[in-house]
Amino acid sequence: MCRMIVAHGQFDAAAVLDAARAMSCGETATHEGPIKQHPNGWGCLWLEQGHIRTLHGTGTFADALPTIDVDRLRGRFLAVHVRHATLSKNHGIEFSHPLWRTSGATQWYMMHNGFLPTVYQQLGMAESRFDSAEYLEYMVDRATPADFTRDYLRDKMAQVAPGGSSANAIFVTRDKAWAWQWHPDDTPYPNYFTLHRLQKNDTTFISSEPISALGTASEWRRMNNHELHEFPIGE
C-alpha cells in the first residue's frame, strides 16, 4: 500500500516533495486505513529538457529528501510515490516505483497504490512475483495511449478476479499522463483508497491524501471511483 501525488502546471516542486514526505510519515493521515506510515522505498518522475527522468530509493523518503536536487524537478509535471510494502519479500530498489515497461513504440511508467494479488492470472502465470509489475504489464501490453480511456480501464479491471484492494495508479508516457481511481465497491477502507484532486487556475494536484499546505479542505475534491483524469504533458 502506498501514497502518491502528481502535480501539473505551475507549482512549487519543493512543496510537492514535502507533501509526499508528510504522507510517508503519517502526518496527513485522516483516513480509516490501518497503514499510516510508508517507509519502504520511494520514487520521483519528472520532465527535464523534454525527457522523462526518474529517481528511486529505498528506506524512508524523509531521510532521502535532503539528498534530492530540487532544482532538477522544477518543471510542469512531477509525480512522487512513497511505499509501504504489502509483502515482506518485496523490499528493495527493484520494487520502488515508478515501474516501467515498453509496449510497441511506447515507453510506459506507472506508480500504483494498492495490492492486486490475482492480476497475475490474466498473464497466464503460475503464481505472482510482484503484483504492481504484473498490473502494469496487464494494462499496457498491446495497448496504445489512445486506448487509455475510462471504459478500457474499467473493462480490464472487470476481468481481474476478486481479492485486490486498489488499482489506483498514475500512468505516464512521453506525451500524456493519467490518474486512475479504482477500488472494489466493497472495500472496508474507501477513504484510504480514494484519490483527491485540487484545481487552482492552470495547476492540478492529485494526491492520495488532501494536503493542507497546497490547498484548504474545501478546495480538495474526492475523485469518484473509476474516475480517470488525463494530463497533457508534451512540450
Side-chain angles (χ1 to χ4, degrees):
M1 312 301 180
C2 310
R3 305 281 82 180
M4 53 193 183
I5 184 169
V6 58
H8 177 248
Q10 299 291 333
F11 57 86
D12 181 354
V16 175
L17 294 177
D18 192 62
R21 179 207 58 77
M23 287 191 288
S24 74
C25 295
E27 295 175 4
T28 56
T30 59
H31 53 76
E32 76 288 74
I35 297 171
K36 310 298 184 186
Q37 298 183 344
H38 301 76
N40 304 130
W42 56 271
C44 303
L45 181 152
W46 70 98
L47 283 179
E48 182 179 322
Q49 298 180 346
H51 297 281
I52 292 177
R53 306 297 188 193
T54 63
L55 189 63
H56 299 76
T58 59
T60 68
F61 190 53
D63 289 342
L65 189 53
T67 71
I68 296 175
D69 182 359
V70 179
D71 288 337
R72 291 188 63 192
L73 281 58
R74 298 190 190 280
R76 290 185 54 84
F77 184 84
L78 172 62
V80 188
H81 184 276
V82 292
R83 185 166 182 261
H84 182 286
T86 305
L87 302 178
S88 59
K89 70 181 181 69
N90 290 346
H91 282 242
I93 194 73
E94 66 269 32
F95 300 105
S96 295
H97 300 215
L99 308 177
W100 61 88
R101 185 174 184 86
T102 301
S103 177
T106 304
Q107 180 85 351
W108 294 87
Y109 299 83
M110 184 196 72
M111 296 177 172
H112 172 217
N113 166 33
F115 183 47
L116 298 173
T118 66
V119 73
Y120 77 93
Q121 298 167 358
Q122 298 297 319
L123 304 177
M125 299 170 59
E127 61 181 7
S128 175
R129 292 191 292 270
F130 180 30
D131 66 294
S132 291
E134 291 144 15
Y135 175 40
L136 174 60
E137 179 179 353
Y138 174 59
M139 286 301 201
V140 307
D141 270 17
R142 296 180 295 279
T144 69
D147 294 320
F148 256 57
T149 64
R150 179 173 179 265
D151 287 344
Y152 170 82
L153 296 173
R154 289 185 70 181
D155 290 347
K156 293 287 281 187
M157 289 308 302
Q159 299 174 52
V160 176
S165 63
S166 170
N168 290 353
I170 299 165
F171 295 96
V172 183
T173 67
R174 174 57 191 81
D175 298 311
K176 290 183 180 181
W178 299 260
W180 166 234
Q181 163 69 56
W182 187 96
H183 62 65
D185 291 335
D186 61 353
T187 178
Y189 309 120
N191 293 323
Y192 182 72
F193 290 121
T194 293
L195 298 172
H196 302 259
R197 180 181 171 190
L198 171 63
Q199 187 72 43
K200 282 190 170 182
N201 300 319
D202 68 341
T203 301
T204 303
F205 298 99
I206 293 180
S207 175
S208 296
E209 297 169 10
I211 307 297
S212 60
L214 300 177
T216 64
S218 63
E219 292 177 303
W220 286 93
R221 177 185 68 81
R222 289 170 60 93
M223 288 179 61
N224 297 319
N225 203 19
H226 305 178
E227 181 176 339
L228 179 68
H229 183 84
E230 181 178 309
F231 302 87
I233 64 172
E235 296 179 347

